[in-house]
Every structure is written in C-alpha cells, then in structure tokens.
Amino acid sequence: MTERAWHWKPARPEGIWRHGAGWARPVVAAAPWIAIVLLLVMFWTIGNRLAAAPGVMFDLPDSVGGQGVAPTFTMLAMPNASSGESGGTLVFFDDARYEIGDPQSAAQLGGQIVRHVQENAPSATMLLLADKRVPTGDLLRLVGLARGAGIGHVQIAEKRE
C-alpha cells in the first residue's frame, strides 16, 4: 500500500508552487537571501554610528609628545597575588611597600608623598607605573593621594603582558 491509500499524507506534487503567478515563484524563493543581503548592507552602512549604551562624553587633551615632562617621583602599583581573588593593590614608593586597600597603609603612603613633595619640588610630576590588572578605582585613589599631597601632574603608564 502507498501513503495515499492510507490518507496519511495528502497528495501535493507541486507543494506551495501550485498557487500564485509563475513569474513570482523565483522572487518568493529568493526572498530570505535578499533579506540577508539587505541586513548586511544596512549593518555595513550604519557601522559605528550607533552606540550600544549611553555614556559620558569627554575631550582628551591635545598631544604633548614633544613637550614631555620628566617625572620627579615614581610609584609602582601591582596586584597582590597572595590576597586571593578579591585581590589588593600593592604600591611601592620610596623603597617601601604599601597596600592601598588598607586605610592605615594608604595614610602612611599619603604622608610619605607629602614629605617628598615638601623636600623636593612643590609642583612635582609623578610617574605611576601600573600593571593592567590593577583596578581602575585603586589607580584613581593613588592619583587622589598624589594630588592631595600637592603633585601637579600624574602620568600613568600601563605594563602589558
């Protein structure tokens, strides 16, 4: 017995093509591909004009590559591997080690920076060497300590792996 004798599947030799005009059949068959091509053209023309999320707009200062200032002080910031996943940031300044997450250690670091600024130069420039794994918040805390101590400019350099 065949499928038609049991009436499990209706006989449709032409499928959807038995309806509609003959000239429209190729256009209907190509419609998904035309849609994909149109989407790709749309994404290409839009490019980077749309933002995924709103953000804060700010202007970067002009480049001063030819007018570089030699730093007066140098500070090194690196993640503390022994404190686990939560981490902590170790700061090395003037042959001493400080942890920026500890308030007492941060206060000692601020006092040390103030002493160096008063002894050497009131409008000093500090170079902050940082590992790329150091959290941005810790870098901003260090810049805040330096600015509070009277340092006029802080240059941040990142060490990549």
Side-chain angles (χ1 to χ4, degrees), residues 46-57:
I46 290 175
N48 293 332
R49 294 182 188 149
L50 296 178
V56 177
M57 297 290 292

Side-chain angles (χ1 to χ4, degrees), residues 9 19 21 36 38 65 70 75 122 144 148 157 160:
K9 185 175 175 186
H19 305 290
I36 289 173
L38 288 176
M75 183 184 299
R160 298 179 184 261

Side-chain angles (χ1 to χ4, degrees), residues 75-84 86-93 96-110 138 141-142 145:
M75 183 184 299
L76 174 67
M78 60 188 337
N80 188 359
S82 65
S83 63
S86 64
T89 301
L90 292 177
V91 179
F92 296 93
F93 180 72
R97 183 183 75 176
Y98 305 95
E99 188 164 350
I100 194 67
D102 181 23
Q104 183 180 6
S105 181
Q108 289 175 353
L109 174 63
D138 289 347
R141 265 189 232 115
L142 290 171
L145 283 173

Side-chain angles (χ1 to χ4, degrees), residues 1-159:
M1 286 206 179
T2 64
E3 291 181 24
R4 291 188 187 143
W6 287 88
H7 301 289
W8 285 355
K9 185 175 175 186
R12 282 197 219 168
E14 295 180 43
I16 63 169
W17 298 115
R18 95 177 168 196
H19 305 290
W23 61 267
R25 291 177 187 167
V27 175
V28 172
W33 298 106
I34 293 171
I36 289 173
V37 168
L38 288 176
L39 279 173
L40 290 175
V41 168
M42 181 184 69
F43 289 140
W44 179 72
T45 56
I46 290 175
N48 293 332
R49 294 182 188 149
L50 296 178
V56 177
M57 297 290 292
F58 60 92
D59 294 328
L60 294 174
D62 294 333
S63 175
V64 291
Q67 303 170 0
V69 177
T72 311
F73 308 113
T74 302
M75 183 184 299
L76 174 67
M78 60 188 337
N80 188 359
S82 65
S83 63
E85 281 295 318
S86 64
T89 301
L90 292 177
V91 179
F92 296 93
F93 180 72
D94 192 36
D95 296 332
R97 183 183 75 176
Y98 305 95
E99 188 164 350
I100 194 67
D102 181 23
Q104 183 180 6
S105 181
Q108 289 175 353
L109 174 63
Q112 188 69 11
I113 295 171
V114 167
R115 280 191 292 279
H116 274 281
V117 168
Q118 289 173 351
E119 290 173 6
N120 296 328
S123 61
T125 300
M126 176 177 279
L127 174 63
L128 175 57
L129 302 170
D131 191 275
K132 79 174 192 174
R133 295 171 293 175
V134 173
T136 307
D138 289 347
L139 291 178
L140 292 178
R141 265 189 232 115
L142 290 171
V143 169
L145 283 173
R147 294 265 171 109
I151 292 181
H153 300 284
V154 177
Q155 301 170 350
I156 299 177
E158 178 183 78
K159 180 189 179 292

